[in-house]
Amino acid sequence: MERLDPEMKTLSITPLPEFVNTNALDDFRQHIRSLKVLMSRYRSAMMEVETKFKVLNEEFSLANDRNHIESIKVRLKSMDSILEKLHRRGLPMTVESVEQNLTDVAGVRVICPFVDDIYVLVDCLLRQTDVELLQVKDYIKHPKENGYRSLHLIITVPIFLREETCRMKVEVQLRTIAMDFWASLEHQLRYKKDIPQAISEKLSADLKECADISAMLDQRMQDIKDRIE
């Protein structure tokens, strides 16, 4: 299939996923120009949100003599992932379907030193008048069964184009350094193939224990910071 490069300027050929119907793909190709425009807007929305966090971090670094953000990562969902998700949900493979049904095409991940930094940043972000909150999932206060912890937001932000202003959805994830370390390693291990069930169950238990240790580390570091301040 045709695949857009990271800059959306050229097209390359990749193998066609088995689940993609040829007729559906032909229809999708007819709207390739609209798709390029949409992905460009998602990229602009990512830059907008990233800039918001950088500005907040700059202000906090002056006020508190430390950074509330360790790093910021941005990610634009690949076309293969978009098509797979539409297929898995039984949704039309159209440009309109991408914009209407997917909330994680544009992603921004903010890594913070301490847990309370996360909630301070979220409060500051959501008080900005041009940010609209669509959804929040707090996996810090309510971790997933496997131990995953992070704070997820779905927001919309305006992007100001030459002749129009439009609002775009962005998924924002906020984690501590410890949460991100655990999640990155767990993600790698989860996709290992051909692991016997008994071993897989033991590994899941070990990873959950590591997540609990990670949570304890976050709490201890938070307590130490609070005592110092």
Side-chain angles (χ1 to χ4, degrees):
M1 64 171 290
E2 292 180 333
R3 186 180 188 182
L4 300 174
D5 75 357
E7 298 300 325
M8 302 298 289
K9 294 177 181 177
T10 61
L11 296 174
S12 58
I13 303 299
T14 58
L16 184 66
E18 294 181 358
F19 62 78
V20 177
N21 179 276
T22 303
N23 291 333
L25 182 61
D26 288 341
D27 292 339
F28 202 79
R29 280 172 170 159
Q30 291 178 11
H31 302 284
I32 193 68
R33 171 61 184 169
S34 298
L35 179 63
K36 290 173 67 176
V37 170
L38 179 62
M39 298 304 282
S40 176
R41 292 181 177 183
Y42 277 123
R43 185 179 296 104
S44 298
M46 284 193 312
M47 291 189 291
E48 183 75 24
V49 175
E50 181 183 20
T51 299
K52 287 178 177 295
F53 280 114
K54 286 182 176 180
V55 170
L56 287 172
N57 196 41
E58 177 70 18
E59 181 180 5
F60 280 124
S61 68
L62 290 174
N64 301 335
D65 199 28
R66 73 173 184 87
N67 292 325
H68 281 48
I69 296 175
E70 181 71 17
S71 64
I72 303 174
K73 305 173 184 177
V74 297
R75 181 270 303 147
L76 193 66
K77 207 172 188 68
S78 71
M79 194 52 53
D80 285 348
S81 295
I82 290 173
L83 289 172
E84 189 277 332
K85 194 164 191 175
L86 291 174
H87 169 74
R88 177 161 35 90
R89 294 185 174 183
L91 297 168
M93 292 190 184
T94 64
V95 175
E96 292 77 12
S97 181
V98 173
E99 188 169 13
Q100 292 172 8
N101 297 302
L102 301 188
T103 60
D104 62 345
V105 176
V108 176
R109 181 175 297 158
V110 181
I111 312 302
C112 300
F114 301 99
V115 173
D116 65 352
D117 292 335
I118 292 173
Y119 292 101
V120 169
L121 286 168
V122 168
D123 180 64
C124 291
L125 177 70
L126 297 183
R127 281 193 282 110
Q128 297 187 15
T129 56
D130 60 344
V131 175
E132 178 185 0
L133 176 65
L134 299 182
Q135 185 182 80
V136 57
K137 292 184 178 179
D138 192 339
Y139 297 117
I140 299 175
K141 294 180 179 177
H142 307 286
K144 291 186 178 182
E145 290 185 5
N146 67 347
Y148 174 85
R149 295 184 302 138
S150 185
L151 182 62
H152 292 198
L153 306 174
I154 304 297
I155 63 174
T156 67
V157 293
I159 58 171
F160 302 93
L161 305 173
R162 183 178 57 186
E163 296 181 353
E164 64 176 318
T165 300
C166 60
R167 300 193 69 88
M168 301 301 298
K169 297 173 186 174
V170 180
E171 181 188 57
V172 181
Q173 298 179 358
L174 299 102
R175 304 172 176 174
T176 64
I177 299 169
M179 294 174 197
D180 190 58
F181 173 73
W182 181 90
S184 297
L185 295 182
E186 190 272 344
H187 179 78
Q188 292 184 36
L189 296 173
R190 181 157 41 93
Y191 287 96
K192 297 294 184 182
K193 305 297 183 181
D194 302 323
I195 300 178
Q197 182 175 355
I199 296 177
S200 177
E201 291 175 355
K202 178 62 168 61
L203 289 174
S204 295
D206 289 343
L207 284 167
K208 176 60 169 62
E209 182 180 359
C210 289
D212 293 339
I213 294 171
S214 157
M216 291 174 58
L217 174 62
D218 270 335
Q219 186 59 58
R220 291 289 300 275
M221 297 302 291
Q222 181 72 54
D223 291 343
I224 292 171
K225 180 188 78 71
D226 291 344
R227 293 207 308 269
I228 291 174
E229 293 182 346

